[in-house]
Amino acid sequence: MSGHRLPRGPRTLTVAYTGGEERRGPVTMGQANMIRCMLRDEPEHINIHDVWPVPEGTRTESAIDALRALAVRHEALRTTFPHAPGVAPSEQVVAPEGTFTVTVLDLDELPGGVVETGGAGGAGGAGTAREAAGEAASAAGADAAAESGGPRGPGGPGDPRGPAARAESLARRARAERFRLDRDFPLRISVVTLAGAPVHLAMAASHAVTDVGALAVLKEEWLSLLAGETLPPLDSLTPLDLAAQEAAPAGLRKSEASLRYWERIIRGGPQAMFAEPGAEGTEVRVPQLTLRSRRAARALALVAERTGGLPSTVLLTAWCALVAHRTAQTACVAAVPTSNRYHSRLTRSVNTLSQDALLSLDVQVPTFDALLKKSWGGALDAYRHSQFDAVRLWEMIGRTTFERGSQFARDVVFNDVSTLPSTVAQVASARPEETVEPELELSWGPDQVLPTRVLTFVYATEPLIHLALWADPALFGRAEAEGFLTGLVRLLESAATDDVPLSSLTEVTGVRPVERGPLWCRVDGSWTSPPLVAETLSGALGGLPVHVTVEASYAYLPAERALTAFIAAGDTPLTPAEAHTALMDALPGRPGVLAPRRYVIVQDPPAEADRSSAWLRQEILREGTGRDRRM
């Protein structure tokens, strides 16, 4: 393409590439996981997007030539997934040559409203999949989300009229079209120009072959090519290489160990961190709140120096401590998706590695420093168990939660993309238009529909902490959300000079634990409301009278309390198994509801239907755990 001047105006160019190697083989566990989501979820919920600034003086031809070079270099960009209709792909095919298209749009020649602002996006899919095990697509929108948090001066990154914001909107719109796995190039690319000069590259990406780490690597290499640099030989695992490792005996043992690790947490940890009044529904529309703070970065560096901890571990510890404090939980259970790039040959792999590492951090220790010592081992344990067969994982989760009587809620996500290699992190968090580094700045961005209660993305930890928070507005008003992030900064500043007693977090941070009231109690490691359980079970059984009480469960765990449900079935031929199955079907979106350990079915309700002793005097027709079979 060199030497030809491209005409201005909206146009689509077909770019041919050749020179790669033809290969085929099974899909990776991460690919199978994300393909499962892509076939099920709406495309704007699972596709990801990014916006790359084009260095000044770059010609459009050069930008496209660099994209061609990346397609030849990385097998993932030449990969398709052949499959029969209605069947999920199990094989991937790498082509030696092919074509892709690039749309060139000049903003000076387009109507003013050609791009839309706001809408779903920003967090890149980061929690948009509806289930727990790593469907948490990483945030290809990390850059895009960063753009929305800046000053709104003319032409600035937060200016809705500026080229960066318009490129961001183009990328978001491109997410809404489903990628055809069997034939589509995995990047949907637009070059945004001003007066014929390229200023931004806007793209949507298939999550079957990319995640935030992959797009950060591609962005860095693209910029290096534009700078005339020679890229080093590849030494990271390709998707097919990784699939071969996963299928080897050691890989299969690792997957089995991951399933056992997850099962321990799901059987014993809280079923939901935000089991409290106001927590309802499986998806909520949440606004983005961005923190940018030099104060926080200085404090983080001082805590790391004082304790000898890694900055990323210190920040994770502070965040977990504050989440557990706010929810009044004894442990912080959180998904940490980007952690599965901790292996050296995966760190820079262009691939989708979006499988959750599930962290369960017991916060029942006296001080911050004691918690920090536990965090490193806990995080490493989570990272080591982030490779698994997603289908088998969900089979295990379904079996385990049915037996426990819970609905595992992936309602807390912490995605730290600052832990990518320094060169990639610098690219992923760069804001070239802006040089101001505020002491503490909070700014609100667009809404996004998410199936999580609290989602946090960390883009950078130096020279300032730059992170974004999406928090359920039913649980966090705007003042509370801002107070949570300000409290995080205050905790880091207090820990910078001395160890902080965890009992003092309210005074130190200004963040108060939730007040659930007397109708809530902790049962089987989870917060639940017996009246809410009774109401939900009654509704699931067509309005039959139900009374739920809390009692010692000596037959289950000697020191544990459990729920017992009394059901007045009348002439309805109800069994405990039918009652349990009906309640389990009603659990999604009700994190405060935990199934009773025992169902007691009687004929009629007592006159004093609000008294447990009165129900105990009724003649029992049937009783049992209800776990003996699924209906």
Side-chain angles (χ1 to χ4, degrees), residues 83-213:
H83 61 103
V87 178
S90 60
E91 183 183 45
Q92 56 183 313
V93 175
V94 180
E97 59 187 14
T99 62
F100 61 91
T101 59
V102 176
T103 301
V104 182
L105 306 99
D106 195 283
L107 296 183
D108 287 347
E109 296 186 356
L110 296 175
V114 70
V115 291
E116 58 191 24
T117 58
T128 51
R130 307 186 193 319
E131 296 173 339
E135 272 96 336
S138 58
D143 286 339
E147 297 289 355
S148 67
R152 292 191 170 269
D159 179 9
R161 301 164 298 171
R166 300 182 79 186
E168 158 72 4
S169 293
L170 283 170
R172 290 180 185 230
R173 288 174 60 189
R175 282 173 59 162
E177 182 181 349
R178 196 175 297 276
F179 281 91
R180 293 168 296 184
L181 293 165
D182 59 340
R183 55 178 171 170
D184 280 359
F185 188 73
L187 303 179
R188 197 171 286 144
I189 306 166
S190 295
V191 176
V192 178
T193 66
L194 278 177
V199 290
H200 286 92
L201 204 69
M203 70 173 64
S206 167
H207 220 327
V209 296
T210 61
D211 57 18
V212 64

Side-chain angles (χ1 to χ4, degrees), residues 203 287 300 397 492 496 523 536 539 608:
M203 70 173 64
L300 178 63
I397 291 176
L492 291 172
V523 172
T536 304
E608 297 178 291

Side-chain angles (χ1 to χ4, degrees), residues 190-457:
S190 295
V191 176
V192 178
T193 66
L194 278 177
V199 290
H200 286 92
L201 204 69
M203 70 173 64
S206 167
H207 220 327
V209 296
T210 61
D211 57 18
V212 64
L215 288 186
V217 170
L218 291 173
K219 178 179 179 180
E220 180 202 9
E221 292 186 349
W222 182 73
L223 291 173
S224 296
L225 289 170
L226 292 181
E229 300 174 11
T230 300
L231 299 180
L234 290 173
D235 61 358
S236 296
L237 291 175
T238 67
L240 284 172
D241 294 337
L242 179 58
Q245 277 197 2
E246 292 173 343
L252 295 176
R253 288 194 299 269
K254 184 174 182 180
S255 179
E256 291 296 326
S258 295
L259 295 181
R260 293 192 296 271
Y261 170 87
W262 276 71
E263 184 170 354
R264 287 196 302 271
I265 296 174
I266 290 169
R267 282 195 183 277
Q271 69 163 344
M273 289 298 294
F274 286 92
E276 59 188 63
E280 297 178 355
T282 57
E283 290 189 346
V284 291
R285 179 167 290 279
V286 293
Q288 173 189 327
L289 175 61
T290 299
L291 167 71
R292 301 180 66 246
S293 174
R294 286 177 56 87
R295 277 176 49 190
R298 287 195 298 267
L300 178 63
L302 289 172
V303 180
E305 181 180 357
R306 183 182 67 78
T307 61
L310 294 173
S312 59
T313 307
V314 171
L315 183 59
L316 174 63
T317 303
W319 183 84
C320 285
L322 203 56
V323 168
H325 173 70
R326 160 59 183 77
T327 56
Q329 298 278 13
T330 58
C332 180
V333 176
V336 280
T338 55
S339 59
N340 45 19
R341 286 183 174 266
Y342 75 98
H343 190 282
S344 60
R345 295 200 66 196
L346 293 177
T347 302
R348 296 183 58 82
S349 176
V350 175
N351 191 1
T352 185
L353 301 174
S354 289
Q355 292 189 277
D356 279 349
L358 186 65
L359 171 67
S360 180
L361 182 61
D362 186 349
V363 299
Q364 297 176 101
V365 293
T367 68
F368 181 86
D369 287 5
L371 186 61
L372 179 59
K373 290 178 181 178
K374 295 180 64 174
S375 295
W376 169 247
L380 188 59
D381 210 19
Y383 302 164
R384 287 171 173 165
H385 295 98
S386 61
Q387 180 179 315
F388 44 77
D389 182 325
V391 173
R392 291 193 59 207
L393 181 78
W394 276 103
E395 291 173 349
M396 178 276 292
I397 291 176
R399 181 185 71 253
T400 301
T401 53
F402 187 86
E403 293 170 357
R404 187 183 183 192
S406 65
Q407 177 70 37
F408 174 64
R410 183 186 178 279
D411 58 358
V412 176
V413 180
F414 183 83
N415 208 357
D416 186 352
V417 298
S418 75
T419 58
L420 296 172
S422 58
T423 53
V424 177
Q426 289 165 9
V427 172
S429 62
R431 296 167 60 116
E433 300 97 331
E434 184 178 344
T435 58
V436 176
E437 295 175 349
E439 286 298 293
L440 197 158
E441 172 191 270
L442 294 170
S443 55
W444 288 93
D447 291 357
Q448 178 165 334
V449 176
L450 296 173
T452 58
R453 306 291 174 193
V454 168
L455 164 67
T456 301
F457 269 92

Side-chain angles (χ1 to χ4, degrees), residues 377-628:
L380 188 59
D381 210 19
Y383 302 164
R384 287 171 173 165
H385 295 98
S386 61
Q387 180 179 315
F388 44 77
D389 182 325
V391 173
R392 291 193 59 207
L393 181 78
W394 276 103
E395 291 173 349
M396 178 276 292
I397 291 176
R399 181 185 71 253
T400 301
T401 53
F402 187 86
E403 293 170 357
R404 187 183 183 192
S406 65
Q407 177 70 37
F408 174 64
R410 183 186 178 279
D411 58 358
V412 176
V413 180
F414 183 83
N415 208 357
D416 186 352
V417 298
S418 75
T419 58
L420 296 172
S422 58
T423 53
V424 177
Q426 289 165 9
V427 172
S429 62
R431 296 167 60 116
E433 300 97 331
E434 184 178 344
T435 58
V436 176
E437 295 175 349
E439 286 298 293
L440 197 158
E441 172 191 270
L442 294 170
S443 55
W444 288 93
D447 291 357
Q448 178 165 334
V449 176
L450 296 173
T452 58
R453 306 291 174 193
V454 168
L455 164 67
T456 301
F457 269 92
V458 180
Y459 305 122
T461 56
E462 59 175 353
L464 76 170
I465 284 184
H466 177 195
L467 60 81
L469 173 76
W470 290 261
D472 185 346
L475 308 177
F476 293 82
R478 290 212 164 193
E480 288 81 5
E482 291 180 356
F484 185 87
L485 289 187
T486 303
L488 182 66
V489 176
R490 293 174 61 181
L491 175 55
L492 291 172
E493 289 180 329
S494 294
T497 56
D498 200 2
D499 196 3
V500 177
L502 295 188
S503 60
S504 69
L505 286 184
T506 299
E507 294 74 21
V508 169
T509 68
V511 175
R512 295 184 176 278
V514 63
E515 295 182 6
R516 291 184 172 87
L519 299 181
W520 289 73
C521 59
R522 197 191 302 273
V523 172
D524 188 21
S526 298
W527 282 103
T528 189
S529 167
L532 186 58
V533 175
E535 177 186 330
T536 304
L537 179 56
S538 175
L541 297 176
L544 293 180
V546 174
H547 177 76
V548 174
T549 186
V550 183
E551 56 187 33
S553 178
Y554 297 105
Y556 178 46
L557 290 174
E560 185 64 77
R561 297 188 299 173
L563 301 179
T564 296
F566 293 89
I567 306 168
D571 295 329
T572 303
L574 181 69
T575 67
E578 290 169 334
H580 184 67
T581 298
L583 181 58
M584 291 301 297
D585 290 342
L587 283 191
R590 294 179 171 91
V593 177
L594 193 69
R597 177 54 46 183
R598 187 166 64 108
Y599 297 87
V600 179
I601 300 172
V602 301
Q603 180 75 32
D604 300 306
E608 297 178 291
D610 60 338
R611 298 179 65 87
S612 298
S613 58
W615 284 88
L616 286 168
R617 290 193 293 269
Q618 300 298 97
E619 180 183 357
I620 296 175
L621 302 179
R622 286 170 292 277
E623 65 177 316
T625 67
R627 274 73 166 173
D628 51 337

Side-chain angles (χ1 to χ4, degrees), residues 2-14:
S2 300
H4 299 282
R5 180 173 178 80
L6 298 172
R8 293 172 62 192
R11 61 201 183 278
T12 299
L13 307 176
T14 298

